Amino acid sequence: MSVTINENYLLLQDSYLFVEIAKRVAKFEEEYPEKEIIRMGIGDVTKPLVPAVIKAFKAAVDEMGDPETFKGYGPEQGYSFLAEAIVENDYKPLGVEIAIDEVFISDGAKCDSGNIQEIFDLNNIVAVTDPVYPVYVDTNVMAGRTQGVNDDGTYKGLVYLPATGENNFIPELPKTPVDLIYLCFPNNPTGTTLTKDELAKFVDYAKENDAIIIFDAAYESFITEKDVPHSIFEIEGAKEVAIEVKSYSKTAGFTGTRCAYTVVPKDLNVKDSKGELVEVNSLWNRRQTTKFNGVSYPVQKAAEAIYSDEGKKQIKENIDYYMENARIIKESLENIGLNVYGGVNSPYIWVKTPNNMKSWDFFDLLLNEANIVGTPGAGFGLSGEGYLRLTAFNTLENTKKAMKRIADLSF
Ligand SMILES: *Cc1c(COP(=O)(O)O)cnc(C)c1O
């Protein structure tokens, strides 16, 4: 015997999207060094951490340098000061009761949404929306929950739920039985949301079919409309069928600081092969305590400061700034007759390409004619073809400049 690799990794498609974008932008820059490019493809925040966060962060670093207050390993699940702040501020105001030990603090929603599949059987059927945040798909491929790749790049065995202009970006319920359903609302990449009633249909489906929903609410803080759920647990009965993943990355500019959390309700039970119910919460606890040693103390203190009066006010100013950009993008593009989705409860604007252009053709047109970089929708899945994603994570000045450039084009 010699060592062999996990061949599931060989099924993964190259993450062609951002490599290809970088290649085309580099080529353009080489040919036209004098042109000023505006990057509207970025899925990363641009504003720095707010003062309240920095103050708490620095104070906690000082504590780490003092023998009286130094901290070694903390609880793998996170410090209770942060879990309590989460329960009090993110759930109580919604009328949702979450217990401290249902909250698992981590270093990212990417890791949590990628790792969570580990505690479920390999025979479970996975459903994802299309277009999709690639992490949900690739981590299930790595685990071996697919049986190969189709010619169109989709994976055999995965169930895709299209979300397009035709269904108003409300994915249909799975037509064939599924066990794990990944939902992300407000959505990346489309920027669209579900109402409470629409989300309730998925919760009801999960209850009727013994399925579980993994709900990624990374963009929750960008919601501006009333009927859009901030948490899946606002839906009656969701605690019996859902896990929720949240992150401070987009909410408070923590993309480089790293802090997030996952809520696994105690009411969530799944059958083992003998038909006996197992608490998912205790499995996730076991997984985290074995493979994870917690988020650093200063980062958790920094995250706690988001919930102070000052912190709340300051992060809201940043979110409002991005959302003003989103409003400008949406209105400017609508004014020139484009069909535009998202941008109301999310920093993402999903643009239908004019004249049924392919995503990459529209990408090239914007790059060459307006020197603007977007993200081709086709890179997020088959149903993303014919769309392009723009983001509000830019300066107001650049956003306005970019919209003027696009308005000057004729399609
Ligand atoms: C940005 C983003 C996250 C955040 O991931 P972190 O690891 O917490 O930075 C999670 N889900 C989606 C869909 C995202 O776009």
Side-chain angles (χ1 to χ4, degrees):
M1 256 315 263
S2 60
V3 64
T4 50
I5 50 133
N6 175 353
E7 291 213 353
N8 295 316
Y9 276 64
L10 303 183
L11 295 174
L12 294 167
Q13 324 266 298
D14 288 336
S15 58
Y16 154 88
L17 179 62
F18 290 97
V19 177
E20 183 61 24
I21 291 173
K23 212 171 92 187
R24 294 191 191 200
V25 173
K27 182 164 172 283
F28 180 84
E29 281 180 317
E30 204 182 293
E31 282 173 30
Y32 304 97
E34 74 289 357
K35 300 272 191 198
E36 180 218 19
I37 290 177
I38 300 179
R39 290 166 205 273
M40 304 192 80
I42 12 170
D44 195 355
V45 294
T46 48
K47 289 201 154 285
L49 296 176
V50 299
V53 164
I54 289 296
K55 190 169 151 224
F57 208 168
K58 283 184 176 165
V61 169
D62 286 340
E63 282 185 68
M64 294 300 270
D66 180 338
E68 297 294 321
T69 49
F70 166 76
K71 298 203 162 41
Y73 288 124
E76 291 96 339
Q77 303 85 349
Y79 283 101
S80 56
F81 64 77
L82 182 53
E84 276 162 21
I86 289 166
V87 165
E88 286 301 313
N89 293 281
D90 286 349
Y91 291 103
K92 259 219 183 112
L94 303 176
V96 176
E97 289 290 329
I98 296 291
I100 300 293
D101 58 359
E102 294 177 314
V103 179
F104 295 86
I105 291 150
S106 78
D107 58 354
K110 186 186 202 177
C111 342
D112 286 354
S113 63
N115 291 333
I116 196 81
Q117 48 76 29
E118 267 185 49
I119 60 173
F120 299 104
D121 191 88
L122 285 183
N123 292 318
N124 284 316
I125 308 284
V126 172
V128 294
T129 60
D130 171 24
V132 68
Y133 180 59
V135 174
Y136 318 144
V137 172
D138 288 357
T139 53
N140 277 290
V141 173
M142 289 168 174
R145 269 190 206 91
T146 55
Q147 294 88 48
V149 193
N150 296 309
D151 289 340
D152 61 9
T154 58
Y155 289 98
K156 295 188 171 105
L158 285 198
V159 173
Y160 293 86
L161 311 173
T164 63
E166 278 78 64
N167 59 15
N168 227 350
F169 299 92
I170 303 162
E172 273 183 44
L173 293 171
K175 293 194 180 69
T176 52
V178 303
D179 306 301
L180 288 171
I181 307 169
Y182 290 78
L183 295 179
C184 172
F185 289 102
N187 189 259
N188 177 12
T190 68
T192 59
T193 52
L194 296 186
T195 63
K196 283 183 188 163
D197 286 348
E198 286 152 6
L199 184 56
K201 288 180 191 155
F202 278 91
V203 170
D204 291 343
Y205 172 93
K207 276 190 172 168
E208 282 157 23
N209 295 278
D210 276 339
I212 280 191
I213 298 169
I214 296 154
F215 191 76
D216 185 339
Y219 296 93
E220 174 273 321
S221 53
F222 293 85
I223 294 172
T224 62
E225 288 181 318
K226 254 208 156 72
D227 196 34
V228 178
H230 287 255
S231 161
I232 193 168
F233 301 125
E234 286 181 68
I235 311 298
E236 206 186 307
K239 278 190 192 171
E240 291 152 45
V241 294
I243 292 168
E244 181 157 279
V245 181
K246 285 194 66 178
S247 172
Y248 300 112
S249 282
K250 316 298 167 22
T251 306
F254 269 53
T255 50
T257 306
R258 313 304 307 142
C259 198
Y261 66 86
T262 288
V263 174
V264 187
K266 291 276 182 71
D267 291 345
L268 182 63
N269 296 294
V270 172
K271 288 193 195 97
D272 66 14
S273 59
K274 297 186 212 80
E276 308 221 358
L277 288 177
V278 178
E279 239 188 37
V280 174
N281 179 288
S282 50
L283 292 190
W284 185 243
N285 189 51
R286 192 72 175 84
R287 191 268 171 210
Q288 289 298 79
T289 51
T290 301
K291 294 196 179 182
F292 184 58
N293 252 339
V295 178
S296 81
Y297 173 73
V299 168
Q300 291 190 64
K301 288 303 276 185
E304 183 193 25
I306 294 167
Y307 297 109
S308 64
D309 289 342
E310 269 185 302
K312 280 181 188 166
K313 196 171 141 271
Q314 292 165 356
I315 65 162
K316 182 161 187 312
E317 279 166 17
N318 285 355
I319 289 171
D320 289 348
Y321 181 91
Y322 294 134
M323 290 311 285
E324 173 64 5
N325 289 346
R327 188 191 63 78
I328 290 169
I329 297 170
K330 182 175 153 65
E331 286 186 9
S332 311
L333 299 182
E334 280 172 350
N335 282 343
I336 58 167
L338 292 176
N339 284 322
V340 181
Y341 306 92
V344 176
N345 299 297
S346 142
Y348 296 135
I349 294 92
W350 194 239
V351 188
K352 180 80 189 82
T353 62
N355 311 319
N356 288 318
M357 285 173 92
K358 295 275 191 195
S359 295
W360 279 107
D361 292 339
F362 190 46
F363 170 90
D364 285 335
L365 184 143
L366 288 184
L367 176 60
N368 292 319
E369 308 295 326
N371 316 140
I372 289 165
V373 182
T375 311
F380 297 99
L382 288 185
S383 298
E385 181 57 274
Y387 294 89
L388 181 122
R389 190 189 74 176
L390 295 179
T391 84
F393 295 131
N394 219 313
T395 60
L396 177 63
E397 189 194 5
N398 275 350
T399 302
K400 285 182 174 164
K401 203 191 275 181
M403 290 307 110
K404 171 136 192 357
R405 289 189 196 166
I406 295 180
D408 289 342
L409 298 176
S410 50
F411 300 118

PDB file of all heavy atoms in Angstrom, residues 43 107-111 113 133 136 184 188 216 218-219 246-250 255 258-260 348, ligand 1:
ATOM      1  N   GLY A  43     -16.110  41.396  -3.434  1.00  0.00           N
ATOM      2  CA  GLY A  43     -17.028  40.927  -2.394  1.00  0.00           C
ATOM      3  C   GLY A  43     -16.414  41.161  -1.039  1.00  0.00           C
ATOM      4  O   GLY A  43     -16.648  40.393  -0.111  1.00  0.00           O
ATOM      5  N   ASP A 107     -14.362  31.496  13.674  1.00  0.00           N
ATOM      6  CA  ASP A 107     -13.560  32.463  12.922  1.00  0.00           C
ATOM      7  C   ASP A 107     -14.099  32.697  11.513  1.00  0.00           C
ATOM      8  O   ASP A 107     -13.419  33.292  10.687  1.00  0.00           O
ATOM      9  CB  ASP A 107     -12.088  32.030  12.876  1.00  0.00           C
ATOM     10  CG  ASP A 107     -11.912  30.651  12.264  1.00  0.00           C
ATOM     11  OD1 ASP A 107     -12.928  29.975  11.974  1.00  0.00           O
ATOM     12  OD2 ASP A 107     -10.755  30.225  12.071  1.00  0.00           O
ATOM     13  N   GLY A 108     -15.307  32.241  11.222  1.00  0.00           N
ATOM     14  CA  GLY A 108     -15.861  32.587   9.918  1.00  0.00           C
ATOM     15  C   GLY A 108     -17.085  31.796   9.529  1.00  0.00           C
ATOM     16  O   GLY A 108     -17.235  30.625   9.887  1.00  0.00           O
ATOM     17  N   ALA A 109     -17.941  32.454   8.769  1.00  0.00           N
ATOM     18  CA  ALA A 109     -19.124  31.773   8.245  1.00  0.00           C
ATOM     19  C   ALA A 109     -18.739  30.865   7.078  1.00  0.00           C
ATOM     20  O   ALA A 109     -19.458  29.922   6.751  1.00  0.00           O
ATOM     21  CB  ALA A 109     -20.155  32.800   7.793  1.00  0.00           C
ATOM     22  N   LYS A 110     -17.606  31.172   6.458  1.00  0.00           N
ATOM     23  CA  LYS A 110     -17.137  30.294   5.382  1.00  0.00           C
ATOM     24  C   LYS A 110     -16.781  28.928   5.966  1.00  0.00           C
ATOM     25  O   LYS A 110     -17.223  27.892   5.463  1.00  0.00           O
ATOM     26  CB  LYS A 110     -15.918  30.909   4.694  1.00  0.00           C
ATOM     27  CG  LYS A 110     -15.453  30.150   3.475  1.00  0.00           C
ATOM     28  CD  LYS A 110     -14.162  30.754   2.951  1.00  0.00           C
ATOM     29  CE  LYS A 110     -13.936  30.410   1.492  1.00  0.00           C
ATOM     30  NZ  LYS A 110     -12.717  31.056   0.974  1.00  0.00           N
ATOM     31  N   CYS A 111     -15.995  28.932   7.052  1.00  0.00           N
ATOM     32  CA  CYS A 111     -15.625  27.646   7.680  1.00  0.00           C
ATOM     33  C   CYS A 111     -16.867  26.937   8.204  1.00  0.00           C
ATOM     34  O   CYS A 111     -17.031  25.731   7.987  1.00  0.00           O
ATOM     35  CB  CYS A 111     -14.652  27.811   8.837  1.00  0.00           C
ATOM     36  SG  CYS A 111     -13.777  29.329   8.915  1.00  0.00           S
ATOM     37  N   SER A 113     -20.086  27.203   7.380  1.00  0.00           N
ATOM     38  CA  SER A 113     -21.000  26.688   6.353  1.00  0.00           C
ATOM     39  C   SER A 113     -20.321  25.568   5.552  1.00  0.00           C
ATOM     40  O   SER A 113     -20.991  24.713   4.983  1.00  0.00           O
ATOM     41  CB  SER A 113     -21.496  27.814   5.434  1.00  0.00           C
ATOM     42  OG  SER A 113     -20.427  28.392   4.735  1.00  0.00           O
ATOM     43  N   TYR A 133     -23.267  30.520  -3.681  1.00  0.00           N
ATOM     44  CA  TYR A 133     -21.968  30.759  -3.030  1.00  0.00           C
ATOM     45  C   TYR A 133     -21.232  29.416  -3.095  1.00  0.00           C
ATOM     46  O   TYR A 133     -21.721  28.422  -2.559  1.00  0.00           O
ATOM     47  CB  TYR A 133     -22.259  31.181  -1.589  1.00  0.00           C
ATOM     48  CG  TYR A 133     -21.088  31.486  -0.679  1.00  0.00           C
ATOM     49  CD1 TYR A 133     -20.159  32.484  -0.988  1.00  0.00           C
ATOM     50  CD2 TYR A 133     -20.952  30.827   0.538  1.00  0.00           C
ATOM     51  CE1 TYR A 133     -19.127  32.782  -0.109  1.00  0.00           C
ATOM     52  CE2 TYR A 133     -19.921  31.129   1.426  1.00  0.00           C
ATOM     53  CZ  TYR A 133     -19.013  32.102   1.098  1.00  0.00           C
ATOM     54  OH  TYR A 133     -18.005  32.403   1.976  1.00  0.00           O
ATOM     55  N   TYR A 136     -20.700  26.000  -0.374  1.00  0.00           N
ATOM     56  CA  TYR A 136     -21.649  24.932  -0.026  1.00  0.00           C
ATOM     57  C   TYR A 136     -21.462  23.730  -0.959  1.00  0.00           C
ATOM     58  O   TYR A 136     -21.528  22.581  -0.525  1.00  0.00           O
ATOM     59  CB  TYR A 136     -23.112  25.393  -0.139  1.00  0.00           C
ATOM     60  CG  TYR A 136     -23.434  26.763   0.383  1.00  0.00           C
ATOM     61  CD1 TYR A 136     -24.378  27.564  -0.269  1.00  0.00           C
ATOM     62  CD2 TYR A 136     -22.810  27.270   1.521  1.00  0.00           C
ATOM     63  CE1 TYR A 136     -24.694  28.832   0.204  1.00  0.00           C
ATOM     64  CE2 TYR A 136     -23.118  28.543   1.986  1.00  0.00           C
ATOM     65  CZ  TYR A 136     -24.053  29.319   1.310  1.00  0.00           C
ATOM     66  OH  TYR A 136     -24.357  30.576   1.762  1.00  0.00           O
ATOM     67  N   CYS A 184     -29.173  31.020   1.361  1.00  0.00           N
ATOM     68  CA  CYS A 184     -28.467  32.239   1.752  1.00  0.00           C
ATOM     69  C   CYS A 184     -29.351  33.422   1.381  1.00  0.00           C
ATOM     70  O   CYS A 184     -29.560  33.688   0.203  1.00  0.00           O
ATOM     71  CB  CYS A 184     -27.125  32.312   1.016  1.00  0.00           C
ATOM     72  SG  CYS A 184     -26.243  33.865   1.228  1.00  0.00           S
ATOM     73  N   ASN A 188     -26.119  36.103  -1.765  1.00  0.00           N
ATOM     74  CA  ASN A 188     -24.921  36.358  -2.555  1.00  0.00           C
ATOM     75  C   ASN A 188     -24.920  35.254  -3.615  1.00  0.00           C
ATOM     76  O   ASN A 188     -24.946  34.093  -3.244  1.00  0.00           O
ATOM     77  CB  ASN A 188     -23.673  36.255  -1.681  1.00  0.00           C
ATOM     78  CG  ASN A 188     -22.402  36.428  -2.468  1.00  0.00           C
ATOM     79  OD1 ASN A 188     -22.438  36.842  -3.627  1.00  0.00           O
ATOM     80  ND2 ASN A 188     -21.272  36.115  -1.856  1.00  0.00           N
ATOM     81  N   ASP A 216     -27.667  30.702   5.708  1.00  0.00           N
ATOM     82  CA  ASP A 216     -26.552  31.645   5.769  1.00  0.00           C
ATOM     83  C   ASP A 216     -27.122  33.064   5.760  1.00  0.00           C
ATOM     84  O   ASP A 216     -27.682  33.510   4.762  1.00  0.00           O
ATOM     85  CB  ASP A 216     -25.623  31.404   4.563  1.00  0.00           C
ATOM     86  CG  ASP A 216     -24.363  32.250   4.590  1.00  0.00           C
ATOM     87  OD1 ASP A 216     -24.342  33.292   5.274  1.00  0.00           O
ATOM     88  OD2 ASP A 216     -23.394  31.876   3.900  1.00  0.00           O
ATOM     89  N   ALA A 218     -25.363  35.920   6.361  1.00  0.00           N
ATOM     90  CA  ALA A 218     -24.195  36.813   6.414  1.00  0.00           C
ATOM     91  C   ALA A 218     -24.533  38.274   6.072  1.00  0.00           C
ATOM     92  O   ALA A 218     -23.827  39.183   6.482  1.00  0.00           O
ATOM     93  CB  ALA A 218     -23.099  36.305   5.475  1.00  0.00           C
ATOM     94  N   TYR A 219     -25.619  38.471   5.322  1.00  0.00           N
ATOM     95  CA  TYR A 219     -25.965  39.837   4.885  1.00  0.00           C
ATOM     96  C   TYR A 219     -27.177  40.396   5.610  1.00  0.00           C
ATOM     97  O   TYR A 219     -27.783  41.373   5.164  1.00  0.00           O
ATOM     98  CB  TYR A 219     -26.173  39.857   3.352  1.00  0.00           C
ATOM     99  CG  TYR A 219     -24.887  39.524   2.644  1.00  0.00           C
ATOM    100  CD1 TYR A 219     -24.593  38.219   2.271  1.00  0.00           C
ATOM    101  CD2 TYR A 219     -23.938  40.509   2.414  1.00  0.00           C
ATOM    102  CE1 TYR A 219     -23.388  37.895   1.675  1.00  0.00           C
ATOM    103  CE2 TYR A 219     -22.729  40.199   1.817  1.00  0.00           C
ATOM    104  CZ  TYR A 219     -22.463  38.890   1.447  1.00  0.00           C
ATOM    105  OH  TYR A 219     -21.264  38.585   0.865  1.00  0.00           O
ATOM    106  N   LYS A 246     -24.005  33.092  10.842  1.00  0.00           N
ATOM    107  CA  LYS A 246     -23.905  34.547  10.704  1.00  0.00           C
ATOM    108  C   LYS A 246     -22.447  34.985  10.832  1.00  0.00           C
ATOM    109  O   LYS A 246     -21.618  34.254  11.365  1.00  0.00           O
ATOM    110  CB  LYS A 246     -24.759  35.249  11.758  1.00  0.00           C
ATOM    111  CG  LYS A 246     -26.240  35.167  11.416  1.00  0.00           C
ATOM    112  CD  LYS A 246     -27.065  36.108  12.226  1.00  0.00           C
ATOM    113  CE  LYS A 246     -26.742  37.560  11.892  1.00  0.00           C
ATOM    114  NZ  LYS A 246     -27.618  38.468  12.674  1.00  0.00           N
ATOM    115  N   SER A 247     -22.176  36.193  10.364  1.00  0.00           N
ATOM    116  CA  SER A 247     -20.796  36.645  10.323  1.00  0.00           C
ATOM    117  C   SER A 247     -20.709  38.146  10.569  1.00  0.00           C
ATOM    118  O   SER A 247     -21.609  38.892  10.200  1.00  0.00           O
ATOM    119  CB  SER A 247     -20.225  36.337   8.935  1.00  0.00           C
ATOM    120  OG  SER A 247     -18.957  36.922   8.798  1.00  0.00           O
ATOM    121  N   TYR A 248     -19.617  38.566  11.203  1.00  0.00           N
ATOM    122  CA  TYR A 248     -19.368  40.010  11.366  1.00  0.00           C
ATOM    123  C   TYR A 248     -18.599  40.577  10.175  1.00  0.00           C
ATOM    124  O   TYR A 248     -18.293  41.760  10.149  1.00  0.00           O
ATOM    125  CB  TYR A 248     -18.594  40.263  12.657  1.00  0.00           C
ATOM    126  CG  TYR A 248     -19.337  39.794  13.890  1.00  0.00           C
ATOM    127  CD1 TYR A 248     -18.889  38.725  14.640  1.00  0.00           C
ATOM    128  CD2 TYR A 248     -20.529  40.412  14.273  1.00  0.00           C
ATOM    129  CE1 TYR A 248     -19.588  38.271  15.751  1.00  0.00           C
ATOM    130  CE2 TYR A 248     -21.240  39.966  15.373  1.00  0.00           C
ATOM    131  CZ  TYR A 248     -20.767  38.892  16.108  1.00  0.00           C
ATOM    132  OH  TYR A 248     -21.472  38.440  17.187  1.00  0.00           O
ATOM    133  N   SER A 249     -18.276  39.717   9.205  1.00  0.00           N
ATOM    134  CA  SER A 249     -17.428  40.153   8.089  1.00  0.00           C
ATOM    135  C   SER A 249     -18.010  41.336   7.338  1.00  0.00           C
ATOM    136  O   SER A 249     -17.368  42.370   7.179  1.00  0.00           O
ATOM    137  CB  SER A 249     -17.209  38.996   7.115  1.00  0.00           C
ATOM    138  OG  SER A 249     -16.245  38.108   7.625  1.00  0.00           O
ATOM    139  N   LYS A 250     -19.243  41.187   6.848  1.00  0.00           N
ATOM    140  CA  LYS A 250     -19.841  42.248   6.058  1.00  0.00           C
ATOM    141  C   LYS A 250     -20.547  43.256   6.978  1.00  0.00           C
ATOM    142  O   LYS A 250     -20.556  44.452   6.700  1.00  0.00           O
ATOM    143  CB  LYS A 250     -20.831  41.676   5.032  1.00  0.00           C
ATOM    144  CG  LYS A 250     -20.342  40.440   4.276  1.00  0.00           C
ATOM    145  CD  LYS A 250     -19.113  40.678   3.435  1.00  0.00           C
ATOM    146  CE  LYS A 250     -18.405  39.420   2.924  1.00  0.00           C
ATOM    147  NZ  LYS A 250     -19.057  38.169   2.799  1.00  0.00           N
ATOM    148  N   THR A 255     -13.847  41.174   7.756  1.00  0.00           N
ATOM    149  CA  THR A 255     -13.340  40.182   6.798  1.00  0.00           C
ATOM    150  C   THR A 255     -11.886  39.798   7.096  1.00  0.00           C
ATOM    151  O   THR A 255     -11.502  38.647   6.930  1.00  0.00           O
ATOM    152  CB  THR A 255     -13.480  40.664   5.335  1.00  0.00           C
ATOM    153  OG1 THR A 255     -12.927  41.974   5.246  1.00  0.00           O
ATOM    154  CG2 THR A 255     -14.935  40.715   4.896  1.00  0.00           C
ATOM    155  N   ARG A 258     -11.869  38.360  11.400  1.00  0.00           N
ATOM    156  CA  ARG A 258     -12.364  36.991  11.531  1.00  0.00           C
ATOM    157  C   ARG A 258     -13.191  36.729  12.783  1.00  0.00           C
ATOM    158  O   ARG A 258     -12.649  36.410  13.846  1.00  0.00           O
ATOM    159  CB  ARG A 258     -11.223  35.957  11.460  1.00  0.00           C
ATOM    160  CG  ARG A 258     -10.213  36.112  10.337  1.00  0.00           C
ATOM    161  CD  ARG A 258     -10.839  36.135   8.966  1.00  0.00           C
ATOM    162  NE  ARG A 258     -11.699  35.003   8.711  1.00  0.00           N
ATOM    163  CZ  ARG A 258     -12.848  35.110   8.021  1.00  0.00           C
ATOM    164  NH1 ARG A 258     -13.251  36.255   7.515  1.00  0.00           N
ATOM    165  NH2 ARG A 258     -13.580  34.039   7.846  1.00  0.00           N
ATOM    166  N   CYS A 259     -14.471  36.863  12.679  1.00  0.00           N
ATOM    167  CA  CYS A 259     -15.369  36.406  13.743  1.00  0.00           C
ATOM    168  C   CYS A 259     -16.764  36.202  13.168  1.00  0.00           C
ATOM    169  O   CYS A 259     -17.241  37.028  12.371  1.00  0.00           O
ATOM    170  CB  CYS A 259     -15.408  37.382  14.920  1.00  0.00           C
ATOM    171  SG  CYS A 259     -16.053  36.633  16.434  1.00  0.00           S
ATOM    172  N   ALA A 260     -17.379  35.101  13.562  1.00  0.00           N
ATOM    173  CA  ALA A 260     -18.702  34.734  13.064  1.00  0.00           C
ATOM    174  C   ALA A 260     -19.356  33.839  14.114  1.00  0.00           C
ATOM    175  O   ALA A 260     -18.747  33.578  15.157  1.00  0.00           O
ATOM    176  CB  ALA A 260     -18.561  33.990  11.735  1.00  0.00           C
ATOM    177  N   TYR A 348     -25.327  43.817  -2.923  1.00  0.00           N
ATOM    178  CA  TYR A 348     -25.117  43.268  -4.260  1.00  0.00           C
ATOM    179  C   TYR A 348     -26.241  43.644  -5.211  1.00  0.00           C
ATOM    180  O   TYR A 348     -27.414  43.591  -4.856  1.00  0.00           O
ATOM    181  CB  TYR A 348     -24.990  41.734  -4.201  1.00  0.00           C
ATOM    182  CG  TYR A 348     -23.782  41.286  -3.433  1.00  0.00           C
ATOM    183  CD1 TYR A 348     -23.864  40.261  -2.497  1.00  0.00           C
ATOM    184  CD2 TYR A 348     -22.546  41.896  -3.629  1.00  0.00           C
ATOM    185  CE1 TYR A 348     -22.741  39.850  -1.781  1.00  0.00           C
ATOM    186  CE2 TYR A 348     -21.427  41.495  -2.917  1.00  0.00           C
ATOM    187  CZ  TYR A 348     -21.528  40.481  -1.999  1.00  0.00           C
ATOM    188  OH  TYR A 348     -20.421  40.091  -1.292  1.00  0.00           O
TER     189      TYR A 348
HETATM  190  C1  LIG B   1     -18.881  36.939   2.743  1.00  0.00           C
HETATM  191  C2  LIG B   1     -19.757  35.769   2.971  1.00  0.00           C
HETATM  192  C3  LIG B   1     -19.688  35.042   4.165  1.00  0.00           C
HETATM  193  C4  LIG B   1     -18.741  35.470   5.273  1.00  0.00           C
HETATM  194  O1  LIG B   1     -17.751  34.552   5.457  1.00  0.00           O
HETATM  195  P1  LIG B   1     -16.670  34.795   6.583  1.00  0.00           P
HETATM  196  O2  LIG B   1     -15.889  33.523   6.566  1.00  0.00           O
HETATM  197  O3  LIG B   1     -17.401  34.982   7.883  1.00  0.00           O
HETATM  198  O4  LIG B   1     -15.847  35.990   6.213  1.00  0.00           O
HETATM  199  C5  LIG B   1     -20.529  33.966   4.346  1.00  0.00           C
HETATM  200  N1  LIG B   1     -21.423  33.617   3.402  1.00  0.00           N
HETATM  201  C6  LIG B   1     -21.529  34.302   2.257  1.00  0.00           C
HETATM  202  C7  LIG B   1     -22.567  33.898   1.276  1.00  0.00           C
HETATM  203  C8  LIG B   1     -20.702  35.385   2.002  1.00  0.00           C
HETATM  204  O5  LIG B   1     -20.800  36.048   0.848  1.00  0.00           O
END
